Amino acid sequence: EAGVAQSPRYKIIEKRQSVAFWCNPISGHATLYWYQQILGQGPKLLIQFQNNGVVDDSQLPKDRFSAERLKGVDSTLKIQPAKLEDSAVYLCASSLLAGIDNYGYTFGSGTRLTVV
Amino acid sequence: SQQGEEDPQALSIQEGENATMNCSYKTSINNLQWYRQNSGRGLVHLILIRSNEREKHSGRLRVTLDTSKKSSSLLITASRAADTASYFCATALYNTDKLIFGTGTRLQVFP
């Protein structure tokens, strides 16, 4: 079974520029998450999709961050314009089942963003 | 804010010793999961314990869950240098399945 694919692995941009990250979850996984992990901290949930619908985006800074999951498969996360404090690793995860039947999530390797 | 708080923040032990990490959380959950993260790498799922379970084993891992105290512990027995990593607890919130991570414990195992 292929894992969760993310690209790019690394990205360096200047502040006020825009950037996009891509995630391809495991085939058949309905739930997809984007997390932001700042160095030395635990991952922070940005947005949760169920198929192509948004379940929770309460922690997404919507003035600069946007995410979509077209056709309930691939997802993109965009930042425009970027700020220095956006420097972090952006992780994508997917899961097959939800609720009491959930058996865990599979994470991609992440995209390390550096804003200079 | 973080749902889970982990204790200790850092732990250093010798190979062969046991390592115990604790996690406390605030709200009702569907399940609690433990993940490992090696430096600069993604998160690896270790074990999941459901809200109606009290203890679970997987190889050298033993997880307990006390929903009355809203706490969990992860025990790694006979630790190895390769266990050196950060360990995170994550709670899947009741009704939403939102997965919230704790602050993590950095484990260093010396050969």
Side-chain angles (χ1 to χ4, degrees):
Chain A
E1 176 182 76
V4 175
Q6 287 190 249
S7 66
R9 284 298 308 275
Y10 306 93
K11 190 75 177 178
I12 301 174
I13 62 172
E14 295 183 349
K15 59 184 179 184
R16 292 186 289 276
Q17 285 187 325
S18 63
V19 64
F21 313 125
W22 174 81
C23 173
N24 184 12
I26 293 175
S27 178
H29 279 199
T31 310
L32 185 148
Y33 304 79
W34 282 102
Y35 286 84
Q36 178 194 58
Q37 187 177 22
I38 293 172
L39 186 64
Q41 298 181 17
K44 171 190 165 186
L45 179 66
L46 292 176
I47 189 166
Q48 175 186 355
F49 291 95
Q50 183 73 19
N51 295 311
N52 61 346
V54 175
V55 174
D56 188 303
D57 63 357
S58 57
Q59 300 272 53
L60 189 73
K62 298 180 188 65
D63 58 331
R64 297 185 301 105
F65 286 64
S66 64
E68 61 181 8
R69 190 182 184 197
L70 299 175
K71 300 179 182 178
V73 183
D74 293 6
S75 177
T76 56
L77 176 69
K78 297 179 181 178
I79 307 175
Q80 182 179 11
K83 293 185 176 180
L84 296 177
E85 58 261 36
D86 298 331
S87 294
V89 175
Y90 291 84
L91 296 161
C92 178
S94 68
S95 67
L96 177 61
L97 300 172
I100 199 67
D101 295 319
N102 194 304
Y103 59 80
Y105 306 119
T106 304
F107 279 80
S109 299
T111 295
R112 183 178 298 276
L113 173 68
T114 302
V115 183
V116 298
Chain B
S1 64
Q2 298 286 135
Q3 154 83 325
E5 297 291 333
E6 293 178 62
D7 171 61
Q9 289 188 333
L11 180 62
S12 295
I13 58 175
Q14 296 288 329
E15 255 186 335
E17 294 180 338
N18 295 341
T20 300
M21 296 160 240
N22 303 295
C23 169
S24 60
Y25 57 93
K26 299 174 184 174
T27 60
S28 296
I29 61 173
N30 279 330
N31 62 69
L32 185 143
Q33 304 172 33
W34 285 89
Y35 287 81
R36 183 184 72 225
Q37 187 176 42
N38 291 84
S39 180
R41 304 281 184 90
L43 290 147
V44 174
H45 179 259
L46 295 176
I47 194 166
L48 177 152
I49 186 165
R50 304 190 192 286
S51 59
N52 59 355
E53 296 175 317
R54 292 296 167 258
E55 187 170 314
K56 205 160 184 180
H57 297 255
S58 176
R60 294 183 297 113
L61 306 180
R62 173 179 168 254
V63 170
T64 62
L65 178 65
D66 186 334
T67 53
S68 66
K69 295 181 179 178
K70 290 187 168 57
S71 67
S72 174
S73 67
L74 171 67
L75 168 67
I76 304 174
T77 60
S79 63
R80 305 166 182 168
D83 294 329
T84 294
S86 289
Y87 291 81
F88 294 92
C89 71
T91 50
L93 302 187
Y94 183 70
N95 274 348
T96 71
D97 216 33
K98 188 172 167 177
L99 190 64
I100 306 297
F101 281 80
T103 50
T105 293
R106 292 183 305 279
L107 173 66
Q108 176 83 48
V109 181
F110 292 99

